[in-house]
Amino acid sequence: MGKDLKNRELGVGISQRKDGLYTGRFVSKRTGKRVQRYFPKLQECRNWLADAVFQDEHGGIDASGDMTVTAWFEYWIENIKGDSIRPNTVRNYKERFQHNIKKCIGNMLLSDVKPMHCQNVLNQMKDDYKTSTIYQTRIALYCMFSDAVENDIINKNPVTKAVKYNIGKEPKKVRALTIDEQKKFLETAVNSSNYNQFAFLLQTGLRTGELIGLKWSDIDWGKKVVHIRRSMEYRYSVGEWIIGEPKSKSGYRDVPLTDEAISILKNQREKLKSIKVINLEHKDYIFLCRKGEPTKNSAYDSTLFKLCEKAGIEKFSMHVLRHTFGTRCIEAGMRPKTLQIILGHSNVGITMNLYVHVTEDEKQKEVERIEKALKIV
């Protein structure tokens, strides 16, 4: 604790010289050297010391390549990315940084990070994470360093082609219900409070967040399509509903409605009449629970697990209903490109990879159907 000329305590790192000037000093955690400045007024000295210590510990935009990776990430995510990316993307970047990147290279200076350090971040994930999550971490690394290059903070992006991500645990194959399982499930679920939601997904292939965010104004009864314009989910961390854009640009789409889907919507409209109180903020939403508000994401899966147990089939999540819709479409002969547009995949490769086993099976069946015609002699 430093003191002034009257022997009064001034606080850590501050003292007063005989000539009346106040001295602020601290030892830099980044360089190990003492940093010191003089001020005629005590408050000026205190303000400088607080700012200088904070910037030394967390970095600052003026620090260039000498700022830490953590300091750059915090500045980058708030000031450079800001509102230019979707809320879900921001959340993913933050999660990957907090859980995987920070502990490995967070305290390193930006200018010191090399490809081997980035690879080490991913290597430490391989035993506990799926390849898809490791890939997301690589994307976060690449983007944050790419913007550092763009802003002349560093000269080169350390996330080079040599930094590999396909080292994680093999992802589980996405499951689809068989036709028999689908029948059993629907027969069991018919009297459940969320039957319309489950049945609607099996007719449209929407993502859960897209289903939750559906409004009556999104339905075009004349053209028999539903406009997908938003995604909605309940965030327990903040205790509120978050409304955002669809997963990608291709998520904005018009999904054709089958006669069965139209019937489900009409049933749902009648069902809503029995709800005594509907919150004003949710009055235009289609799928509401008895409380007059949307059903939380986790509640859907909880209900599904109970219904599966009752039906005597293997437990599955909401996403399986979407995948089951896609599988039925391919089995019925729908072209993958058409299915890509309906599901909102960003490219047809994603669709092909998901349903390649179905297309292979159908290909074999098609050849068997024309086998006699192929046999000339």
Side-chain angles (χ1 to χ4, degrees), residues 221-236:
W221 301 96
K223 293 182 179 179
K224 292 178 64 175
V225 298
V226 54
H227 307 299
I228 307 304
R229 298 293 180 264
R230 75 193 66 78
S231 184
M232 184 171 165
E233 66 173 319
Y234 187 80
R235 295 272 180 82
Y236 287 92

Side-chain angles (χ1 to χ4, degrees), residues 173-325:
K173 289 184 178 180
V174 182
R175 182 187 169 212
L177 300 180
T178 64
I179 293 176
D180 184 55
E181 285 178 323
Q182 187 171 340
K183 287 180 179 178
K184 283 183 179 179
F185 169 71
L186 288 174
E187 288 170 358
T188 305
V190 70
N191 293 320
S192 74
S193 59
N194 295 321
Y195 173 79
N196 287 339
Q197 289 94 310
F198 300 146
F200 193 73
L201 285 190
L202 286 167
Q203 291 293 317
T204 59
L206 301 188
R207 298 179 176 93
T208 305
E210 295 169 346
L211 174 87
I212 295 173
L214 273 188
K215 296 182 177 182
W216 289 110
S217 54
D218 297 324
I219 307 300
D220 188 325
W221 301 96
K223 293 182 179 179
K224 292 178 64 175
V225 298
V226 54
H227 307 299
I228 307 304
R229 298 293 180 264
R230 75 193 66 78
S231 184
M232 184 171 165
E233 66 173 319
Y234 187 80
R235 295 272 180 82
Y236 287 92
S237 58
V238 293
E240 62 183 36
W241 288 98
I242 303 297
I243 302 172
E245 299 178 353
K247 189 174 181 180
S248 61
K249 289 182 179 179
S250 52
Y252 287 96
R253 63 198 190 280
D254 290 345
V255 176
L257 294 171
T258 61
D259 288 340
E260 179 65 19
I262 293 289
S263 177
I264 292 168
L265 288 173
K266 289 179 179 178
N267 288 337
Q268 181 64 17
R269 189 163 56 184
E270 288 300 311
K271 182 180 177 181
L272 291 179
K273 293 179 181 178
S274 65
I275 300 177
K276 294 180 180 180
V277 179
I278 295 179
N279 297 334
L280 283 176
E281 60 182 314
H282 299 138
K283 65 181 179 64
D284 192 35
Y285 287 90
I286 296 175
F287 296 106
L288 303 177
C289 67
R290 283 170 287 192
K291 295 180 181 179
E293 59 187 33
T295 300
K296 296 181 176 65
N297 321 48
S298 57
Y300 279 123
D301 283 337
S302 297
T303 302
L304 278 179
F305 295 160
K306 292 177 183 177
L307 290 171
C308 288
E309 189 173 350
K310 189 175 179 180
I313 59 178
E314 184 183 341
K315 292 180 180 179
F316 62 84
S317 65
M318 285 286 277
H319 189 73
V320 170
L321 298 177
R322 170 175 161 86
H323 191 52
T324 299
F325 165 82

Side-chain angles (χ1 to χ4, degrees), residues 26-35 56:
F26 68 97
V27 177
S28 171
K29 290 186 177 181
R30 291 190 288 119
T31 65
K33 298 179 180 179
R34 174 182 286 185
V35 182
D56 179 71

Side-chain angles (χ1 to χ4, degrees), residues 348-364:
V348 74
I350 296 173
T351 312
M352 290 299 295
N353 287 337
L354 281 172
Y355 301 102
V356 65
H357 65 288
V358 185
T359 53
E360 287 296 321
D361 291 345
E362 291 303 305
K363 183 171 66 177
Q364 183 61 37

Side-chain angles (χ1 to χ4, degrees), residues 37-303:
R37 282 189 63 179
Y38 304 100
F39 300 87
K41 295 182 179 180
L42 176 59
Q43 194 57 47
E44 290 179 353
C45 184
R46 283 176 172 160
N47 291 343
W48 170 82
L49 184 62
D51 290 342
V53 169
F54 180 86
Q55 193 166 46
D56 179 71
E57 291 180 352
H58 299 89
I61 196 58
D62 296 328
S64 190
D66 290 335
M67 68 195 310
T68 64
V69 172
T70 295
W72 169 247
F73 177 82
E74 291 173 352
Y75 182 87
W76 172 74
I77 202 70
E78 296 298 332
N79 298 282
I80 294 182
K81 302 320 287 184
D83 297 328
S84 66
I85 55 177
R86 293 176 172 82
N88 279 348
T89 304
V90 172
R91 183 185 63 177
N92 287 337
Y93 284 162
K94 287 182 176 180
E95 286 182 354
R96 298 283 58 84
F97 186 81
Q98 290 298 327
H99 294 311
N100 307 113
I101 300 171
K102 187 176 182 178
K103 64 182 179 182
C104 291
I105 62 173
N107 291 328
M108 291 184 66
L109 300 183
L110 270 180
S111 56
D112 289 341
V113 179
K114 302 292 187 290
M116 63 180 180
H117 299 122
C118 298
Q119 186 65 64
N120 187 47
V121 171
L122 306 184
N123 288 345
Q124 293 196 24
M125 298 175 66
K126 66 179 181 180
D127 294 331
D128 301 313
Y129 292 89
K130 295 178 183 177
T131 296
S132 58
T133 306
I134 297 176
Y135 177 58
Q136 290 174 1
T137 307
R138 189 187 189 279
I139 290 176
L141 280 167
Y142 181 85
C143 291
M144 63 182 283
F145 284 119
S146 178
D147 281 337
V149 174
E150 285 292 317
N151 286 276
D152 295 324
I153 305 295
I154 54 177
N155 294 322
K156 293 192 303 182
N157 191 329
V159 186
T160 63
K161 291 182 179 180
V163 179
K164 306 297 182 184
Y165 67 88
N166 54 345
I167 54 177
K169 296 192 297 184
E170 284 293 319
K172 291 182 180 179
K173 289 184 178 180
V174 182
R175 182 187 169 212
L177 300 180
T178 64
I179 293 176
D180 184 55
E181 285 178 323
Q182 187 171 340
K183 287 180 179 178
K184 283 183 179 179
F185 169 71
L186 288 174
E187 288 170 358
T188 305
V190 70
N191 293 320
S192 74
S193 59
N194 295 321
Y195 173 79
N196 287 339
Q197 289 94 310
F198 300 146
F200 193 73
L201 285 190
L202 286 167
Q203 291 293 317
T204 59
L206 301 188
R207 298 179 176 93
T208 305
E210 295 169 346
L211 174 87
I212 295 173
L214 273 188
K215 296 182 177 182
W216 289 110
S217 54
D218 297 324
I219 307 300
D220 188 325
W221 301 96
K223 293 182 179 179
K224 292 178 64 175
V225 298
V226 54
H227 307 299
I228 307 304
R229 298 293 180 264
R230 75 193 66 78
S231 184
M232 184 171 165
E233 66 173 319
Y234 187 80
R235 295 272 180 82
Y236 287 92
S237 58
V238 293
E240 62 183 36
W241 288 98
I242 303 297
I243 302 172
E245 299 178 353
K247 189 174 181 180
S248 61
K249 289 182 179 179
S250 52
Y252 287 96
R253 63 198 190 280
D254 290 345
V255 176
L257 294 171
T258 61
D259 288 340
E260 179 65 19
I262 293 289
S263 177
I264 292 168
L265 288 173
K266 289 179 179 178
N267 288 337
Q268 181 64 17
R269 189 163 56 184
E270 288 300 311
K271 182 180 177 181
L272 291 179
K273 293 179 181 178
S274 65
I275 300 177
K276 294 180 180 180
V277 179
I278 295 179
N279 297 334
L280 283 176
E281 60 182 314
H282 299 138
K283 65 181 179 64
D284 192 35
Y285 287 90
I286 296 175
F287 296 106
L288 303 177
C289 67
R290 283 170 287 192
K291 295 180 181 179
E293 59 187 33
T295 300
K296 296 181 176 65
N297 321 48
S298 57
Y300 279 123
D301 283 337
S302 297
T303 302

